[in-house]
């Protein structure tokens, strides 16, 4: 049985409003599917597609407490996605189709950021001129950063190109939202003064005219962004994705082109930076990605982000099993054992006793080390709603082996358990509750 499922979390007060919607699948086909419902609804779209590098990129999965505490021996390396294409034309055709569909999803006030590098930035400019109109070009942003490696036969390539286009002349843009205070540091050739209202400013005269720069005013970004560093391997934001972008980069784009409550789209979601930044800043998000680990990484990241409401994740590969089902399709998972502990008429504990999957030689004998995420909840109308969940993070590397949920979910509804292991295999089980 295949189904889509919903995970809800409450941070502060319960709100049934949808905060975000993630679909696992190919961007071109999924955007066609979403077009009818989402046409003209997105305020901002950020696209960070493959760069036509010809490489395969990785996702590094930490294992157990040792892995999450920094022991690199307890790490599995998986393929995150392949950036290999049959031809240049195949890549450009994909990019053209995604841009065309993205244009239709934008509101008239909306904007789109397209992130590429030297390989296809020039081709992308022509595509966007064709789809958005040359007159709707706003910026070619240069994101300059420092990273390892230096070229010997040419100047080192240490920047990416981000093209910014508006959909219409009604577009929303607020650079003050990302400006930085000028502060008190001395500026060359400027004189520090105080006006009649007590405000500090720096001034300079030119051609008999005075130019004032107030200390409490903001310095606005230009189209060269050299103040946002590339993520280092041990940066706290790191999720294990090779090509992960820093949150500060997405925050500048999102805050300058959207307002709280707006919808933000990312159709190559990867590790979920765009979605997490949107959620933390009171925006809603629509995410797509075809990577097997993207939906898993995004789920955990978004459950940690601030905000409240309903998060929806759709994965067409998810199947539903009975707890005693030995279907051969369950590659890697042979058995799961749970038990119930009814602590009161209102609360029941569901204990995870055992989970069998392909073992990692000489790394762990603890069954919970093989689980990346698990949740318990209920099934209704072909949807799974997770009531409680547990997963490892840098701050909390220990996985809970029992979860407490309201008893009504296991006595009045079809209770279910969702498990994702460290190999990216996921299983949704119906669980039977025998009344005492």
């Amino acid at each position: 049985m295949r189904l889509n499922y919903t995970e809800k979390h409450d941070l502060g007060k319960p709100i049934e409003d949808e905060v975000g919607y993630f679909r696992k699948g190919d961007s071109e086909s999924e955007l066609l599917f979403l077009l009818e419902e989402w046409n003209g609804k997105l305020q901002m779209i950020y696209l960070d597609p493959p760069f036509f590098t010809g490489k395969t990129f990785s996702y590094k999965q930490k294992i157990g407490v040792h892995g999450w505490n920094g022991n690199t021996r307890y790490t599995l390396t998986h393929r995150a996605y392949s950036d290999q294409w049959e031809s240049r034309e195949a890549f450009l055709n994909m990019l053209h189709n995604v841009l065309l569909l993205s244009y239709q999803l934008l509101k008239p006030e909306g904007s789109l950021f397209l992130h590429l590098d030297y390989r296809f930035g020039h081709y992308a400019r022509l595509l966007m001129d064709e789809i958005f109109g040359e007159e709707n070009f706003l910026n070619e942003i240069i994101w300059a950063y420092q990273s390892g490696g230096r070229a010997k036969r040419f100047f080192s390539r240490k920047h990416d190109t981000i093209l910014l286009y508006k959909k219409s002349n009604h577009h929303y843009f607020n650079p003050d939202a990302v400006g930085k205070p000028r502060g008190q540091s001395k500026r060359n050739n400027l004189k520090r003064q105080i006006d009649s209202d007590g405000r500090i400013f720096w001034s300079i005269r030119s051609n008999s005219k005075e130019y004032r720069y107030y200390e409490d005013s903001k310095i606005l970004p230009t189209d060269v962004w050299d103040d946002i560093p590339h993520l280092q391997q041990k940066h706290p934001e790191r999720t294990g994705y090779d090509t992960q972008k820093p949150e500060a980069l997405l925050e500048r784009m999102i805050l300058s082109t959207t307002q709280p409550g707006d919808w933000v789209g990312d159709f190559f979601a990867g590790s979920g930076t765009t979605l997490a930044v949107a959620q933390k800043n009171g925006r809603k998000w629509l995410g797509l990605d075809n990577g097997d680990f993207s939906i898993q990484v995004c789920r955990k990241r978004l459950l940690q982000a601030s905000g409240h409401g309903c998060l929806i994740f759709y994965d067409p590969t998810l199947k539903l099993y009975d707890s005693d089902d030995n279907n051969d399709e369950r590659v890697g998972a042979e058995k799961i054992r749970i038990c119930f502990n009814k602590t009161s008429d209102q609360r029941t504990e569901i204990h995870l006793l055992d989970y069998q999957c392909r073992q990692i030689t000489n790394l762990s004998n603890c069954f919970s080390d093989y689980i990346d995420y698990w949740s318990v909840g209920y099934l209704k109308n072909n949807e799974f709603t997770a009531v409680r969940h547990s997963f490892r993070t840098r701050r909390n590397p220990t996985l809970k082996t029992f979860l407490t949920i309201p008893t009504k979910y296991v006595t009045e509804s079809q209770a279910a358990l969702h498990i994702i292991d460290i190999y990216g295999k996921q299983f949704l089980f119906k669980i039977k509750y025998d009344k005492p």
Side-chain angles (χ1 to χ4, degrees), residues 92-346:
L92 286 172
N93 184 62
M94 177 280 295
L95 191 58
H96 177 273
N97 291 340
V98 171
L99 286 170
L100 186 61
L101 293 166
S102 297
Y103 176 84
Q104 297 175 69
L105 294 174
L106 280 175
K107 298 167 62 175
E109 301 84 5
S111 306
L112 185 144
F113 293 86
L114 176 61
H115 190 150
L116 289 167
D117 67 4
Y118 64 90
R119 295 175 181 88
F120 271 86
H122 51 303
Y123 290 104
R125 179 76 179 267
L126 295 175
L127 287 178
M128 295 191 74
D129 282 349
E130 173 192 336
I131 295 169
F132 282 76
E134 188 175 349
E135 70 281 4
N136 288 320
F137 166 79
L138 292 176
N139 282 114
E140 180 182 36
I141 298 165
I142 302 301
W143 177 38
Y145 47 79
Q146 294 294 323
S147 62
R150 289 293 181 267
K152 300 295 185 181
R153 298 187 177 183
F154 49 85
F155 294 113
S156 296
R157 296 160 180 158
K158 299 297 178 183
H159 82 271
D160 291 353
T161 300
I162 304 172
L163 299 175
L164 171 59
Y165 278 70
K166 58 186 172 68
K167 187 170 184 178
S168 75
N169 287 333
H170 303 292
H171 79 290
Y172 174 81
F173 184 65
N174 179 21
D176 285 332
V178 292
K180 295 182 178 180
R182 290 183 178 276
Q184 300 178 0
S185 58
K186 180 176 175 58
R187 291 165 178 82
N188 293 336
N189 303 318
L190 298 183
K191 183 179 179 181
R192 185 178 184 273
Q193 301 182 72
I194 301 176
D195 69 9
S196 58
D197 295 325
R199 293 177 67 198
I200 298 174
F201 67 92
W202 304 80
S203 67
I204 189 171
R205 299 192 70 86
S206 178
N207 296 326
S208 301
K209 185 176 180 180
E210 183 186 48
Y211 295 89
R212 293 187 178 187
Y213 303 93
Y214 280 87
E215 187 179 83
D216 57 0
S217 64
K218 292 182 178 180
I219 300 175
L220 304 182
T222 67
D223 59 359
V224 177
W225 297 357
D226 57 3
D227 58 332
I228 301 175
H230 201 276
L231 287 182
Q232 301 302 316
Q233 289 302 316
K234 293 186 178 181
H235 195 283
E237 288 181 20
R238 275 288 183 188
T239 63
Y241 253 71
D242 276 348
T243 54
Q244 181 179 341
K245 302 303 185 293
E247 291 192 5
L249 186 70
L250 272 300
E251 186 172 64
R252 182 169 293 176
M253 299 183 215
I254 289 172
L255 295 184
S256 62
T257 57
T258 69
Q259 301 178 77
D262 284 339
W263 282 91
V264 172
D266 186 343
F267 309 141
F268 302 92
S271 66
T273 301
T274 305
L275 316 183
V277 172
Q279 186 171 308
K280 289 177 181 179
N281 287 281
R283 278 70 168 169
K284 302 177 182 182
W285 50 263
L286 173 64
L288 301 176
D289 201 285
N290 199 30
D292 290 336
F293 290 94
S294 176
I295 188 171
Q296 325 300 11
V297 174
C298 288
R299 178 191 292 105
K300 294 191 296 182
R301 192 170 183 180
L302 292 161
L303 288 173
Q304 295 178 79
S306 59
H308 44 254
C310 175
L311 306 182
I312 297 178
F313 299 88
Y314 173 76
D315 185 347
T317 66
L318 183 64
K319 296 182 180 180
L320 178 64
Y321 300 96
D322 291 326
S323 57
D324 56 354
D325 190 356
N326 290 318
N327 195 314
D328 291 337
E329 293 183 37
R330 276 195 289 143
V331 178
E334 299 299 333
K335 182 169 62 175
I336 180 172
R337 287 197 301 131
I338 60 172
C339 76
F340 297 88
N341 178 23
K342 187 177 179 182
T343 59
S344 69
D345 289 338
Q346 286 76 40

